Amino acid sequence: QITGDSLLFSQRPLEHRNFIFPIELKQGDGLNLYLKVSSQSSLKIPITLWEQKYFIEHDQTRVLAQGLFFGILIIMTVYNLFIFISIREKAYLFYVFYVASNIVVQASLKGFVYQFVLFDHPDWNDKLIIFSMNAVIFFACAFALNFLNLKHNSQFAYHLLRLIAALSVLSFMLAFGIEYQYAIMWALFLATVSSVLITCIGLFLWLINGLHEARYFSVAWLSFLIGSFLLSLNRLQIIPD
């Protein structure tokens, strides 16, 4: 049996967002299983042997949890969009695009986009992951630049985040000309760097400069950016699951 994200979704042994192989094993029988695995990006192989009944029960719980997760993000997106429409503050619009890009990244990594949207276009699924990751970086920088008013409060941080934002645009453009493994590794590296920089800038403006807005920014974003940072390190295979 063969599967992978380079094949059409309908070519999988079971049409599921994860890679699943059905195995028939009678009680008392033994079976040797051999796997040959290759990837152009980071490689993780969490293997679990399930009975069908328990797999279905576990999968339903996972889908429910992920539905709640995406539901919360969608509510955040819509809520902040209405705030932007009401007060026309650009920071809220950048935050809307930032959260929306995160939704696409997580839905792509968890297999939902490939299962329900791009099932006949495996190449575009890879491109979408790279595009959405770079969009997260770009809009995170844009939000920080606007919300913290860095052009006035820190010229150094202002130019630094503008550079990171420009590199994210370049990273997206290069994704169409270089192999996926290099494009995704560069995007992950850029995400790691931007997460650290944005967090440090917020904390510096709060603790050193005493900027009132930076306090709320740092408290609200610190845990989220730490999570993004750890995810990037995990995908770069620097830290384990």
Side-chain angles (χ1 to χ4, degrees), residues 62-93:
R62 289 289 299 274
V63 170
L64 175 61
Q66 290 168 354
L68 291 173
F69 171 74
F70 286 115
I72 291 171
L73 291 183
I74 291 172
I75 290 172
M76 289 173 58
T77 303
V78 175
Y79 176 75
N80 283 277
L81 179 60
F82 279 121
I83 293 179
F84 166 73
I85 294 173
S86 300
I87 66 176
R88 300 293 178 177
E89 176 62 47
K90 287 192 299 182
Y92 287 97
L93 182 61

Side-chain angles (χ1 to χ4, degrees), residues 22-42:
I23 299 173
E24 293 187 8
L25 186 62
K26 296 181 181 179
Q27 187 175 3
D29 289 348
L31 182 66
N32 293 323
L33 300 176
Y34 298 92
L35 297 177
K36 181 179 180 181
V37 185
S38 64
S39 175
Q40 290 187 337
S41 61
S42 59

Side-chain angles (χ1 to χ4, degrees), residues 5-25:
D5 58 9
S6 62
L7 302 177
L8 299 179
F9 192 79
S10 59
Q11 293 178 297
R12 297 187 177 189
L14 286 177
E15 294 189 8
H16 192 274
R17 66 186 181 279
N18 297 322
F19 302 130
I20 297 175
F21 298 100
I23 299 173
E24 293 187 8
L25 186 62

Side-chain angles (χ1 to χ4, degrees), residues 45-71:
I45 316 174
I47 300 175
T48 306
L49 189 63
W50 292 92
E51 289 186 16
Q52 182 176 352
K53 174 181 180 295
Y54 295 113
F55 170 76
I56 293 174
E57 293 174 353
H58 174 79
D59 192 56
Q60 288 177 334
T61 303
R62 289 289 299 274
V63 170
L64 175 61
Q66 290 168 354
L68 291 173
F69 171 74
F70 286 115

Side-chain angles (χ1 to χ4, degrees), residues 18-225:
N18 297 322
F19 302 130
I20 297 175
F21 298 100
I23 299 173
E24 293 187 8
L25 186 62
K26 296 181 181 179
Q27 187 175 3
D29 289 348
L31 182 66
N32 293 323
L33 300 176
Y34 298 92
L35 297 177
K36 181 179 180 181
V37 185
S38 64
S39 175
Q40 290 187 337
S41 61
S42 59
L43 185 61
K44 298 187 298 180
I45 316 174
I47 300 175
T48 306
L49 189 63
W50 292 92
E51 289 186 16
Q52 182 176 352
K53 174 181 180 295
Y54 295 113
F55 170 76
I56 293 174
E57 293 174 353
H58 174 79
D59 192 56
Q60 288 177 334
T61 303
R62 289 289 299 274
V63 170
L64 175 61
Q66 290 168 354
L68 291 173
F69 171 74
F70 286 115
I72 291 171
L73 291 183
I74 291 172
I75 290 172
M76 289 173 58
T77 303
V78 175
Y79 176 75
N80 283 277
L81 179 60
F82 279 121
I83 293 179
F84 166 73
I85 294 173
S86 300
I87 66 176
R88 300 293 178 177
E89 176 62 47
K90 287 192 299 182
Y92 287 97
L93 182 61
F94 291 138
Y95 187 72
V96 165
F97 284 122
Y98 170 77
V99 178
S101 300
N102 264 294
I103 292 174
V104 177
V105 169
Q106 294 299 324
S108 298
L109 292 176
K110 295 181 185 300
F112 290 107
V113 171
Y114 190 38
Q115 180 178 4
F116 296 109
V117 182
L118 297 175
F119 42 83
D120 287 332
H121 305 282
D123 292 339
W124 281 102
N125 186 64
D126 291 341
K127 294 292 188 297
L128 180 63
I129 293 174
I130 297 172
F131 169 76
S132 55
M133 288 184 63
N134 284 291
V136 169
I137 299 168
F138 178 85
F139 289 114
C141 292
F143 176 77
L145 285 165
N146 191 272
F147 186 82
L148 297 175
N149 193 15
L150 293 181
K151 189 173 183 179
H152 172 74
N153 292 315
S154 175
Q155 280 289 313
F156 176 75
Y158 172 77
H159 292 296
L160 189 59
L161 288 191
R162 281 175 59 91
L163 174 62
I164 297 296
L167 288 176
S168 69
V169 176
L170 178 62
S171 176
F172 165 69
M173 295 173 63
L174 289 177
F176 291 92
I178 62 176
E179 292 185 13
Y180 172 78
Q181 65 180 104
Y182 301 115
I184 194 67
M185 295 298 282
W186 170 249
L188 288 169
F189 171 76
L190 200 60
T192 304
V193 172
S194 62
S195 297
V196 174
L197 284 177
I198 292 175
T199 303
C200 290
I201 289 170
L203 291 173
F204 178 83
L205 292 176
W206 172 25
L207 299 175
I208 305 301
N209 290 8
L211 185 65
H212 185 70
E213 296 88 344
R215 176 175 61 182
Y216 298 105
F217 176 89
S218 299
V219 171
W221 277 61
L222 187 58
S223 60
F224 200 86
L225 290 177

